[in-house]
Amino acid sequence: MPSKFIFSLTADRFSAYQWQNNQLLDEHVFTSDAFGQERFSEYLLRVGSKPVYVLADLVEEDYRFDQVPHLIGPERSALFNRKLDQYYRNTPFRHALTQGRQEEGRRDDRVLFSALTNPALITPWIDLMLQRSVAIAGLYSVSLICKQLIRDVSSPQLLLITWQKHAGLRQTYFQNSQVNFSRLTPLAQGDDPVDKVVAESARTLQYLNSLSLLPPDRPLDVFIVCSSRDRQELQARLSSTPSLRYVFLDIRQVARSLDLKEGPGDSDATPLLLQVLGRYPLHNQYGAPAHTHFFSLLKLRRVLNGLALAAGAASVLVGGAYFWVAAGLQNTIGEVAGKARELSATYQRITSDFPPAPTSAANMQTAVVLAEKLAALAPPPQGVLAPVARTLDAFPGIQVNGLSWHNTFTPDDVKPDYAPAGGTVAAPEQKAPAPGARPAPAQAPEKPYQVIFLQGEIVPFDNNYRRAIDTINGFQDALRRNGLTVSTLTLPLDLRPEATVSSELSAQQGQSRRAVFVLKLVTRQAEKSAPPAQGGKT
Protein backbone atom coordinates (compact mmCIF):
# COMPACT_ATOMS: atom_id res chain seq x y z
CA MET A 1 0.00 0.00 0.00
CA PRO A 2 1.50 3.39 -0.95
CA SER A 3 2.63 5.72 1.79
CA LYS A 4 2.25 8.85 -0.35
CA PHE A 5 1.52 10.06 -3.89
CA ILE A 6 3.83 12.19 -6.03
CA PHE A 7 2.47 14.25 -8.91
CA SER A 8 4.49 15.83 -11.73
CA LEU A 9 3.18 18.92 -13.52
CA THR A 10 4.47 20.37 -16.79
CA ALA A 11 2.92 22.77 -19.29
CA ASP A 12 0.93 20.09 -21.15
CA ARG A 13 1.17 16.98 -19.02
CA PHE A 14 0.20 15.82 -15.51
CA SER A 15 1.61 12.53 -14.17
CA ALA A 16 0.70 10.70 -10.97
CA TYR A 17 2.85 8.14 -9.14
CA GLN A 18 2.52 6.03 -6.03
CA TRP A 19 5.42 6.00 -3.58
CA GLN A 20 5.91 2.61 -1.99
CA ASN A 21 9.03 1.03 -0.48
CA ASN A 22 11.11 4.03 -1.62
CA GLN A 23 10.15 3.50 -5.28
CA LEU A 24 7.95 5.22 -7.84
CA LEU A 25 5.21 2.90 -9.02
CA ASP A 26 2.14 2.85 -11.26
CA GLU A 27 2.50 5.95 -13.42
CA HIS A 28 -0.75 7.53 -14.65
CA VAL A 29 -0.66 10.32 -17.24
CA PHE A 30 -3.43 12.91 -17.66
CA THR A 31 -3.80 15.47 -20.42
CA SER A 32 -4.55 19.12 -19.67
CA ASP A 33 -7.95 19.11 -21.34
CA ALA A 34 -11.35 18.50 -19.74
CA PHE A 35 -11.20 14.77 -20.38
CA GLY A 36 -7.84 14.44 -18.66
CA GLN A 37 -9.00 16.43 -15.67
CA GLU A 38 -12.13 14.28 -15.36
CA ARG A 39 -9.99 11.14 -15.35
CA PHE A 40 -7.72 12.74 -12.74
CA SER A 41 -10.70 13.53 -10.49
CA GLU A 42 -11.65 9.83 -10.58
CA TYR A 43 -8.05 8.84 -9.88
CA LEU A 44 -8.03 10.96 -6.73
CA LEU A 45 -10.55 8.58 -5.14
CA ARG A 46 -7.74 6.09 -4.56
CA VAL A 47 -5.57 8.69 -2.79
CA GLY A 48 -7.71 8.73 0.34
CA SER A 49 -5.91 10.30 3.30
CA LYS A 50 -2.38 9.79 1.95
CA PRO A 51 -0.24 12.94 1.58
CA VAL A 52 0.41 14.30 -1.90
CA TYR A 53 3.56 16.07 -3.15
CA VAL A 54 3.30 18.08 -6.38
CA LEU A 55 6.44 18.89 -8.43
CA ALA A 56 6.07 21.62 -11.06
CA ASP A 57 8.53 22.14 -13.92
CA LEU A 58 7.34 25.25 -15.78
CA VAL A 59 8.88 28.01 -17.83
CA GLU A 60 6.80 30.66 -16.02
CA GLU A 61 8.89 30.88 -12.86
CA ASP A 62 10.35 34.21 -11.79
CA TYR A 63 13.05 35.15 -9.25
CA ARG A 64 13.76 38.41 -7.42
CA PHE A 65 16.56 39.13 -4.98
CA ASP A 66 16.15 41.63 -2.16
CA GLN A 67 17.73 42.59 1.14
CA VAL A 68 15.34 43.09 4.03
CA PRO A 69 15.80 43.85 7.74
CA HIS A 70 16.44 40.84 9.91
CA LEU A 71 13.18 40.14 11.73
CA ILE A 72 11.66 37.13 13.46
CA GLY A 73 8.19 35.86 14.20
CA PRO A 74 5.02 37.51 12.87
CA GLU A 75 6.89 40.66 11.82
CA ARG A 76 9.07 38.65 9.45
CA SER A 77 6.08 36.87 7.90
CA ALA A 78 4.26 40.19 7.44
CA LEU A 79 7.32 41.72 5.74
CA PHE A 80 7.70 38.76 3.37
CA ASN A 81 3.99 38.88 2.49
CA ARG A 82 4.25 42.58 1.66
CA LYS A 83 7.22 41.93 -0.60
CA LEU A 84 5.46 39.04 -2.33
CA ASP A 85 2.38 41.20 -2.87
CA GLN A 86 4.61 43.84 -4.35
CA TYR A 87 6.38 41.47 -6.75
CA TYR A 88 3.73 38.80 -7.49
CA ARG A 89 0.27 40.11 -6.83
CA ASN A 90 -1.46 38.00 -9.50
CA THR A 91 -0.48 34.53 -8.34
CA PRO A 92 -1.01 32.62 -5.07
CA PHE A 93 1.98 30.33 -5.77
CA ARG A 94 4.74 32.37 -4.14
CA HIS A 95 7.76 31.61 -2.01
CA ALA A 96 10.39 33.50 0.02
CA LEU A 97 13.71 31.76 0.68
CA THR A 98 16.25 33.28 3.07
CA GLN A 99 19.82 32.78 1.80
CA GLY A 100 21.88 34.15 4.66
CA ARG A 101 22.73 37.60 5.98
CA GLN A 102 25.03 40.43 5.03
CA GLU A 103 28.39 40.35 6.73
CA GLU A 104 28.61 44.11 7.26
CA GLY A 105 26.33 46.98 8.18
CA ARG A 106 23.10 46.09 9.91
CA ARG A 107 23.35 42.48 8.63
CA ASP A 108 20.16 42.42 6.61
CA ASP A 109 18.73 39.15 5.33
CA ARG A 110 19.35 38.14 1.72
CA VAL A 111 16.05 36.76 0.42
CA LEU A 112 15.14 35.11 -2.87
CA PHE A 113 11.51 35.84 -3.75
CA SER A 114 10.10 33.55 -6.44
CA ALA A 115 6.75 32.61 -7.90
CA LEU A 116 5.02 30.45 -10.50
CA THR A 117 3.61 33.29 -12.53
CA ASN A 118 1.07 31.39 -14.65
CA PRO A 119 -1.48 30.07 -12.13
CA ALA A 120 -3.82 28.98 -14.93
CA LEU A 121 -1.57 25.96 -15.53
CA ILE A 122 -1.73 24.89 -11.86
CA THR A 123 -5.05 26.02 -10.35
CA PRO A 124 -7.34 23.49 -12.17
CA TRP A 125 -5.35 20.55 -10.81
CA ILE A 126 -5.14 22.02 -7.31
CA ASP A 127 -8.89 22.74 -7.28
CA LEU A 128 -9.68 19.14 -8.22
CA MET A 129 -7.53 17.91 -5.34
CA LEU A 130 -9.19 20.28 -2.88
CA GLN A 131 -12.64 19.14 -4.03
CA ARG A 132 -11.62 15.59 -3.08
CA SER A 133 -10.15 16.79 0.26
CA VAL A 134 -6.69 15.61 -0.76
CA ALA A 135 -3.93 16.30 1.78
CA ILE A 136 -1.53 18.41 -0.31
CA ALA A 137 1.77 18.42 1.56
CA GLY A 138 3.34 21.02 -0.72
CA LEU A 139 3.87 22.40 -4.20
CA TYR A 140 7.52 22.31 -5.30
CA SER A 141 9.68 23.55 -8.16
CA VAL A 142 12.46 21.66 -9.92
CA SER A 143 14.71 24.70 -9.67
CA LEU A 144 14.42 24.74 -5.86
CA ILE A 145 14.91 20.99 -5.25
CA CYS A 146 17.58 20.16 -7.84
CA LYS A 147 20.13 21.35 -5.27
CA GLN A 148 19.79 17.88 -3.76
CA LEU A 149 21.50 16.40 -6.85
CA ILE A 150 24.76 18.24 -6.02
CA ARG A 151 24.54 18.30 -2.24
CA ASP A 152 27.99 16.67 -2.00
CA VAL A 153 29.60 19.17 -4.41
CA SER A 154 31.52 22.09 -2.93
CA SER A 155 31.90 24.90 -5.44
CA PRO A 156 31.30 28.62 -4.82
CA GLN A 157 29.76 29.13 -8.29
CA LEU A 158 28.34 26.48 -10.56
CA LEU A 159 25.81 25.92 -13.29
CA LEU A 160 23.70 22.75 -13.09
CA ILE A 161 22.14 21.44 -16.32
CA THR A 162 19.44 18.74 -16.27
CA TRP A 163 17.13 17.42 -18.96
CA GLN A 164 13.48 16.52 -18.26
CA LYS A 165 11.88 14.68 -21.17
CA HIS A 166 8.41 16.28 -20.89
CA ALA A 167 9.52 19.72 -19.70
CA GLY A 168 12.77 20.69 -21.35
CA LEU A 169 16.31 21.67 -20.52
CA ARG A 170 16.73 23.19 -17.04
CA GLN A 171 19.80 25.37 -16.24
CA THR A 172 20.16 26.50 -12.62
CA TYR A 173 22.90 28.82 -11.42
CA PHE A 174 24.16 28.52 -7.81
CA GLN A 175 26.28 30.90 -5.78
CA ASN A 176 27.62 29.55 -2.49
CA SER A 177 25.21 26.60 -2.78
CA GLN A 178 22.22 28.94 -3.07
CA VAL A 179 19.94 29.26 -6.09
CA ASN A 180 20.56 32.47 -7.99
CA PHE A 181 18.33 31.93 -10.99
CA SER A 182 16.99 29.09 -13.14
CA ARG A 183 15.99 28.88 -16.78
CA LEU A 184 13.86 26.25 -18.54
CA THR A 185 14.06 25.79 -22.32
CA PRO A 186 11.25 23.60 -23.75
CA LEU A 187 12.21 20.95 -26.30
CA ALA A 188 10.23 20.45 -29.45
CA GLN A 189 9.42 16.97 -30.64
CA GLY A 190 12.44 15.50 -32.32
CA ASP A 191 15.01 17.78 -30.68
CA ASP A 192 18.25 16.12 -29.69
CA PRO A 193 19.00 16.74 -25.98
CA VAL A 194 22.75 16.81 -26.65
CA ASP A 195 22.42 19.49 -29.32
CA LYS A 196 20.15 21.47 -27.01
CA VAL A 197 22.65 21.25 -24.12
CA VAL A 198 25.49 22.53 -26.29
CA ALA A 199 23.46 25.42 -27.71
CA GLU A 200 21.65 26.56 -24.58
CA SER A 201 24.68 26.30 -22.31
CA ALA A 202 26.53 28.69 -24.59
CA ARG A 203 23.65 31.21 -24.38
CA THR A 204 23.50 30.92 -20.59
CA LEU A 205 27.24 31.51 -20.29
CA GLN A 206 26.92 34.64 -22.42
CA TYR A 207 24.10 35.81 -20.12
CA LEU A 208 26.22 35.23 -17.02
CA ASN A 209 29.13 37.06 -18.59
CA SER A 210 26.90 40.04 -19.38
CA LEU A 211 25.88 40.21 -15.71
CA SER A 212 29.50 39.80 -14.53
CA LEU A 213 28.54 36.66 -12.67
CA LEU A 214 31.43 34.57 -13.98
CA PRO A 215 34.16 34.10 -11.36
CA PRO A 216 37.16 36.29 -12.28
CA ASP A 217 39.91 34.17 -10.75
CA ARG A 218 38.77 30.63 -11.45
CA PRO A 219 36.78 28.69 -14.03
CA LEU A 220 33.02 28.33 -13.72
CA ASP A 221 31.97 24.75 -12.91
CA VAL A 222 29.29 23.43 -15.27
CA PHE A 223 27.72 20.19 -14.00
CA ILE A 224 25.71 18.22 -16.54
CA VAL A 225 23.56 15.27 -15.38
CA CYS A 226 23.41 12.72 -18.17
CA SER A 227 23.54 9.04 -18.97
CA SER A 228 26.78 7.25 -19.76
CA ARG A 229 25.80 7.07 -23.45
CA ASP A 230 25.15 10.80 -23.76
CA ARG A 231 28.23 11.57 -21.71
CA GLN A 232 30.59 10.39 -24.46
CA GLU A 233 28.99 12.63 -27.05
CA LEU A 234 28.92 15.62 -24.70
CA GLN A 235 32.58 15.18 -23.80
CA ALA A 236 33.43 15.16 -27.48
CA ARG A 237 31.54 18.40 -28.16
CA LEU A 238 32.18 20.36 -24.93
CA SER A 239 35.74 21.02 -23.87
CA SER A 240 36.91 22.77 -20.74
CA THR A 241 38.59 26.17 -21.05
CA PRO A 242 40.42 28.42 -18.56
CA SER A 243 37.08 30.08 -17.79
CA LEU A 244 34.87 26.96 -17.92
CA ARG A 245 35.19 23.50 -16.43
CA TYR A 246 32.68 20.88 -17.51
CA VAL A 247 31.82 18.05 -15.10
CA PHE A 248 29.63 15.22 -16.39
CA LEU A 249 27.62 13.47 -13.67
CA ASP A 250 26.49 9.96 -14.47
CA ILE A 251 22.80 9.84 -13.62
CA ARG A 252 23.06 6.37 -12.11
CA GLN A 253 25.93 7.41 -9.84
CA VAL A 254 23.88 10.41 -8.70
CA ALA A 255 21.01 8.04 -7.86
CA ARG A 256 23.34 5.82 -5.84
CA SER A 257 24.77 8.82 -3.98
CA LEU A 258 21.20 9.71 -2.95
CA ASP A 259 20.48 6.14 -1.77
CA LEU A 260 17.85 5.69 -4.45
CA LYS A 261 17.02 2.12 -5.39
CA GLU A 262 16.84 2.58 -9.15
CA GLY A 263 18.47 5.06 -11.49
CA PRO A 264 17.01 6.18 -14.83
CA GLY A 265 18.18 4.41 -17.96
CA ASP A 266 18.60 7.60 -20.04
CA SER A 267 19.44 11.23 -19.35
CA ASP A 268 15.88 12.10 -18.28
CA ALA A 269 16.20 13.50 -14.74
CA THR A 270 12.45 13.57 -14.07
CA PRO A 271 12.32 10.16 -12.24
CA LEU A 272 15.43 11.14 -10.31
CA LEU A 273 13.89 14.42 -9.12
CA LEU A 274 10.61 12.72 -8.22
CA GLN A 275 12.48 10.13 -6.18
CA VAL A 276 14.40 12.89 -4.42
CA LEU A 277 11.06 14.48 -3.46
CA GLY A 278 9.71 11.14 -2.25
CA ARG A 279 12.81 10.14 -0.31
CA TYR A 280 13.68 13.55 1.13
CA PRO A 281 10.41 15.48 1.54
CA LEU A 282 11.08 19.19 1.87
CA HIS A 283 9.12 21.96 3.47
CA ASN A 284 6.31 23.30 1.34
CA GLN A 285 7.48 25.89 -1.20
CA TYR A 286 4.70 27.30 -3.39
CA GLY A 287 1.58 25.91 -1.72
CA ALA A 288 -0.64 28.51 -0.04
CA PRO A 289 -2.16 27.77 3.40
CA ALA A 290 -5.54 27.18 1.75
CA HIS A 291 -3.95 24.50 -0.45
CA THR A 292 -2.30 22.62 2.46
CA HIS A 293 -5.31 22.84 4.79
CA PHE A 294 -6.19 19.15 4.61
CA PHE A 295 -2.55 18.16 5.11
CA SER A 296 -2.51 20.23 8.32
CA LEU A 297 -5.60 18.34 9.47
CA LEU A 298 -3.90 15.05 8.56
CA LYS A 299 -0.86 15.92 10.69
CA LEU A 300 -3.12 16.93 13.57
CA ARG A 301 -5.04 13.66 13.26
CA ARG A 302 -1.80 11.70 13.31
CA VAL A 303 -0.68 13.53 16.44
CA LEU A 304 -3.99 12.80 18.15
CA ASN A 305 -3.81 9.15 17.08
CA GLY A 306 -0.29 8.95 18.45
CA LEU A 307 -1.39 10.43 21.75
CA ALA A 308 -4.33 8.04 21.91
CA LEU A 309 -2.02 5.11 21.17
CA ALA A 310 0.41 6.27 23.83
CA ALA A 311 -2.44 6.67 26.32
CA GLY A 312 -3.69 3.18 25.47
CA ALA A 313 -0.22 1.69 25.90
CA ALA A 314 0.17 3.50 29.20
CA SER A 315 -3.21 2.18 30.32
CA VAL A 316 -2.19 -1.37 29.44
CA LEU A 317 1.08 -0.98 31.35
CA VAL A 318 -0.65 0.52 34.37
CA GLY A 319 -3.35 -2.14 34.25
CA GLY A 320 -0.70 -4.87 34.06
CA ALA A 321 1.12 -3.37 37.01
CA TYR A 322 -2.10 -3.22 39.03
CA PHE A 323 -2.88 -6.82 38.05
CA TRP A 324 0.57 -7.90 39.20
CA VAL A 325 0.14 -6.02 42.48
CA ALA A 326 -3.35 -7.48 42.95
CA ALA A 327 -2.01 -11.00 42.37
CA GLY A 328 0.68 -10.39 44.98
CA LEU A 329 -1.90 -9.01 47.42
CA GLN A 330 -4.12 -12.04 46.81
CA ASN A 331 -1.27 -14.36 47.73
CA THR A 332 -0.56 -12.26 50.82
CA ILE A 333 -4.24 -12.39 51.78
CA GLY A 334 -4.19 -16.17 51.51
CA GLU A 335 -1.08 -16.39 53.70
CA VAL A 336 -2.54 -14.01 56.29
CA ALA A 337 -5.84 -15.93 56.31
CA GLY A 338 -3.94 -19.19 56.92
CA LYS A 339 -2.01 -17.65 59.80
CA ALA A 340 -5.24 -16.23 61.22
CA ARG A 341 -6.80 -19.71 61.19
CA GLU A 342 -3.76 -21.14 62.94
CA LEU A 343 -3.84 -18.42 65.59
CA SER A 344 -7.58 -18.91 66.06
CA ALA A 345 -7.09 -22.64 66.56
CA THR A 346 -4.27 -21.96 69.03
CA TYR A 347 -6.47 -19.46 70.88
CA GLN A 348 -9.34 -21.90 71.07
CA ARG A 349 -7.03 -24.64 72.34
CA ILE A 350 -5.55 -22.39 75.03
CA THR A 351 -8.83 -20.84 76.18
CA SER A 352 -10.48 -24.24 76.43
CA ASP A 353 -8.34 -24.89 79.55
CA PHE A 354 -9.37 -21.57 81.19
CA PRO A 355 -11.93 -21.64 84.06
CA PRO A 356 -15.38 -20.29 83.20
CA ALA A 357 -15.38 -16.47 82.95
CA PRO A 358 -18.01 -14.45 84.92
CA THR A 359 -19.15 -12.81 81.68
CA SER A 360 -18.50 -12.88 77.98
CA ALA A 361 -15.40 -11.41 76.32
CA ALA A 362 -17.55 -8.80 74.54
CA ASN A 363 -18.94 -7.56 77.87
CA MET A 364 -15.44 -7.40 79.32
CA GLN A 365 -14.25 -5.39 76.31
CA THR A 366 -17.20 -3.02 76.73
CA ALA A 367 -16.37 -2.57 80.41
CA VAL A 368 -12.74 -1.76 79.60
CA VAL A 369 -13.80 0.80 76.99
CA LEU A 370 -16.23 2.42 79.44
CA ALA A 371 -13.57 2.51 82.14
CA GLU A 372 -11.16 4.23 79.79
CA LYS A 373 -13.81 6.80 78.87
CA LEU A 374 -14.63 7.44 82.51
CA ALA A 375 -10.96 7.87 83.29
CA ALA A 376 -10.72 10.40 80.47
CA LEU A 377 -13.80 12.26 81.76
CA ALA A 378 -12.55 12.40 85.37
CA PRO A 379 -8.83 13.04 85.27
CA PRO A 380 -7.03 13.33 88.63
CA PRO A 381 -6.73 16.85 90.04
CA GLN A 382 -2.93 16.76 90.26
CA GLY A 383 -2.60 18.60 86.95
CA VAL A 384 -4.58 21.63 88.14
CA LEU A 385 -3.49 21.51 91.82
CA ALA A 386 0.20 21.62 90.89
CA PRO A 387 0.19 25.31 89.84
CA VAL A 388 -1.96 26.13 92.90
CA ALA A 389 0.60 24.49 95.18
CA ARG A 390 3.47 26.34 93.49
CA THR A 391 1.63 29.63 93.95
CA LEU A 392 0.91 28.90 97.64
CA ASP A 393 4.63 28.37 98.22
CA ALA A 394 5.15 32.01 97.25
CA PHE A 395 2.49 33.20 99.76
CA PRO A 396 3.34 31.68 103.21
CA GLY A 397 0.78 33.98 104.88
CA ILE A 398 -2.13 32.15 103.23
CA GLN A 399 -3.56 29.08 104.92
CA VAL A 400 -5.83 26.68 103.00
CA ASN A 401 -8.86 25.66 105.03
CA GLY A 402 -10.82 23.82 102.32
CA LEU A 403 -10.63 22.69 98.71
CA SER A 404 -13.27 21.23 96.40
CA TRP A 405 -12.72 20.07 92.81
CA HIS A 406 -15.19 19.49 89.93
CA ASN A 407 -15.17 18.39 86.24
CA THR A 408 -17.90 20.10 84.21
CA PHE A 409 -18.85 21.57 80.83
CA THR A 410 -20.71 24.46 82.51
CA PRO A 411 -18.32 26.05 85.02
CA ASP A 412 -20.67 28.97 85.70
CA ASP A 413 -23.30 26.63 87.15
CA VAL A 414 -21.00 24.97 89.70
CA LYS A 415 -21.48 26.22 93.27
CA PRO A 416 -19.22 25.64 96.29
CA ASP A 417 -20.10 22.75 98.60
CA TYR A 418 -19.69 24.83 101.77
CA ALA A 419 -20.22 28.36 103.05
CA PRO A 420 -17.03 29.85 104.57
CA ALA A 421 -17.12 31.13 108.09
CA GLY A 422 -16.19 34.72 108.73
CA GLY A 423 -16.16 35.81 105.09
CA THR A 424 -18.34 38.22 103.13
CA VAL A 425 -19.85 37.88 99.69
CA ALA A 426 -17.82 39.59 96.94
CA ALA A 427 -19.47 38.34 93.74
CA PRO A 428 -22.59 40.08 92.39
CA GLU A 429 -25.90 38.33 92.68
CA GLN A 430 -27.36 36.75 89.57
CA LYS A 431 -30.89 37.60 88.51
CA ALA A 432 -33.42 34.81 88.54
CA PRO A 433 -35.02 34.01 85.19
CA ALA A 434 -38.45 35.44 84.51
CA PRO A 435 -41.43 33.16 85.21
CA GLY A 436 -42.16 30.94 82.24
CA ALA A 437 -38.93 31.87 80.43
CA ARG A 438 -36.98 29.05 78.92
CA PRO A 439 -33.22 29.07 79.25
CA ALA A 440 -31.33 29.40 75.99
CA PRO A 441 -29.81 26.10 74.92
CA ALA A 442 -26.09 26.11 75.47
CA GLN A 443 -23.83 24.17 73.21
CA ALA A 444 -21.35 22.06 75.17
CA PRO A 445 -17.72 22.89 74.42
CA GLU A 446 -15.48 20.27 73.01
CA LYS A 447 -13.31 20.01 76.16
CA PRO A 448 -14.41 19.89 79.83
CA TYR A 449 -13.44 22.37 82.52
CA GLN A 450 -11.92 21.71 85.94
CA VAL A 451 -13.30 23.95 88.70
CA ILE A 452 -11.65 24.33 92.13
CA PHE A 453 -13.12 26.20 95.08
CA LEU A 454 -10.31 27.25 97.39
CA GLN A 455 -11.19 28.40 100.95
CA GLY A 456 -8.27 30.21 102.52
CA GLU A 457 -7.36 32.49 105.42
CA ILE A 458 -4.69 35.11 106.13
CA VAL A 459 -2.65 33.85 109.09
CA PRO A 460 -1.74 35.61 111.28
CA PHE A 461 -4.33 38.37 110.86
CA ASP A 462 -3.58 41.71 112.59
CA ASN A 463 -6.92 43.34 111.71
CA ASN A 464 -5.29 45.12 108.73
CA TYR A 465 -7.89 44.47 106.04
CA ARG A 466 -6.08 46.48 103.40
CA ARG A 467 -2.96 44.33 103.70
CA ALA A 468 -5.05 41.17 103.75
CA ILE A 469 -6.95 42.15 100.58
CA ASP A 470 -3.70 43.16 98.85
CA THR A 471 -2.24 39.74 99.71
CA ILE A 472 -5.33 38.01 98.30
CA ASN A 473 -5.20 40.11 95.11
CA GLY A 474 -1.50 39.29 94.66
CA PHE A 475 -2.33 35.61 95.18
CA GLN A 476 -5.01 35.82 92.45
CA ASP A 477 -2.63 37.51 89.99
CA ALA A 478 -0.06 34.79 90.57
CA LEU A 479 -2.69 32.12 89.89
CA ARG A 480 -3.68 33.83 86.63
CA ARG A 481 -0.07 33.87 85.50
CA ASN A 482 -0.11 30.08 85.95
CA GLY A 483 -2.93 29.76 83.40
CA LEU A 484 -5.94 29.72 85.75
CA THR A 485 -9.09 31.75 85.51
CA VAL A 486 -9.72 33.21 88.98
CA SER A 487 -12.87 34.79 90.36
CA THR A 488 -13.52 35.95 93.95
CA LEU A 489 -16.52 34.55 95.85
CA THR A 490 -15.84 35.99 99.29
CA LEU A 491 -13.37 38.39 100.88
CA PRO A 492 -12.51 39.26 104.50
CA LEU A 493 -14.22 42.61 103.95
CA ASP A 494 -17.30 43.37 101.84
CA LEU A 495 -16.24 45.94 99.22
CA ARG A 496 -19.60 46.34 97.54
CA PRO A 497 -20.84 49.98 97.22
CA GLU A 498 -24.01 49.28 99.21
CA ALA A 499 -22.07 47.73 102.15
CA THR A 500 -20.49 49.72 105.02
CA VAL A 501 -17.48 49.01 107.16
CA SER A 502 -19.43 49.62 110.34
CA SER A 503 -22.04 47.03 109.48
CA GLU A 504 -19.29 44.57 108.63
CA LEU A 505 -17.53 45.15 111.93
CA SER A 506 -20.78 44.93 113.85
CA ALA A 507 -21.45 41.58 112.17
CA GLN A 508 -18.21 40.28 113.56
CA GLN A 509 -18.68 41.54 117.11
CA GLY A 510 -18.83 38.78 119.68
CA GLN A 511 -16.42 36.54 117.67
CA SER A 512 -12.70 36.57 116.89
CA ARG A 513 -11.84 38.40 113.72
CA ARG A 514 -10.50 36.27 110.82
CA ALA A 515 -9.45 37.16 107.23
CA VAL A 516 -11.25 34.35 105.38
CA PHE A 517 -11.77 34.28 101.60
CA VAL A 518 -13.03 31.87 98.90
CA LEU A 519 -11.72 31.78 95.30
CA LYS A 520 -13.08 29.98 92.25
CA LEU A 521 -10.38 28.62 89.93
CA VAL A 522 -11.23 27.39 86.43
CA THR A 523 -9.04 25.64 83.86
CA ARG A 524 -9.71 23.66 80.67
CA GLN A 525 -9.29 19.91 80.31
CA ALA A 526 -6.82 18.97 77.57
CA GLU A 527 -8.72 16.07 75.91
CA LYS A 528 -12.07 15.98 74.14
CA SER A 529 -14.71 14.28 76.29
CA ALA A 530 -18.41 13.80 76.75
CA PRO A 531 -20.29 15.80 79.43
CA PRO A 532 -19.25 14.44 82.85
CA ALA A 533 -20.97 14.37 86.23
CA GLN A 534 -17.91 14.08 88.45
CA GLY A 535 -16.77 15.92 91.54
CA GLY A 536 -14.61 15.68 94.63
CA LYS A 537 -13.95 17.50 97.88
CA THR A 538 -11.11 17.71 100.37
Side-chain angles (χ1 to χ4, degrees), residues 410-427:
T410 55
D412 295 338
D413 297 338
V414 180
K415 304 300 179 183
D417 296 341
Y418 48 78
T424 60
V425 177

Side-chain angles (χ1 to χ4, degrees), residues 285-365:
Q285 294 173 351
Y286 287 119
H291 304 151
T292 59
H293 169 70
F294 293 107
F295 181 68
S296 300
L297 295 180
L298 175 62
K299 291 193 295 183
L300 179 60
R301 183 162 57 248
R302 287 179 175 177
V303 170
L304 295 177
N305 290 339
L307 293 176
L309 182 62
S315 300
V316 171
L317 293 176
V318 172
Y322 277 120
F323 179 80
W324 181 78
V325 172
L329 291 177
Q330 191 66 30
N331 294 335
T332 303
I333 291 173
E335 294 175 359
V336 171
K339 293 180 180 179
R341 287 191 295 270
E342 294 178 2
L343 292 175
S344 178
T346 303
Y347 172 78
Q348 295 294 337
R349 184 174 60 257
I350 294 174
T351 55
S352 62
D353 298 333
F354 287 173
T359 185
S360 64
N363 291 338
M364 295 176 66
Q365 181 181 5

Side-chain angles (χ1 to χ4, degrees), residues 156-167:
Q157 292 173 304
L158 66 88
L159 179 67
L160 176 65
I161 300 177
T162 61
W163 171 65
Q164 288 76 245
K165 180 187 298 185
H166 302 290

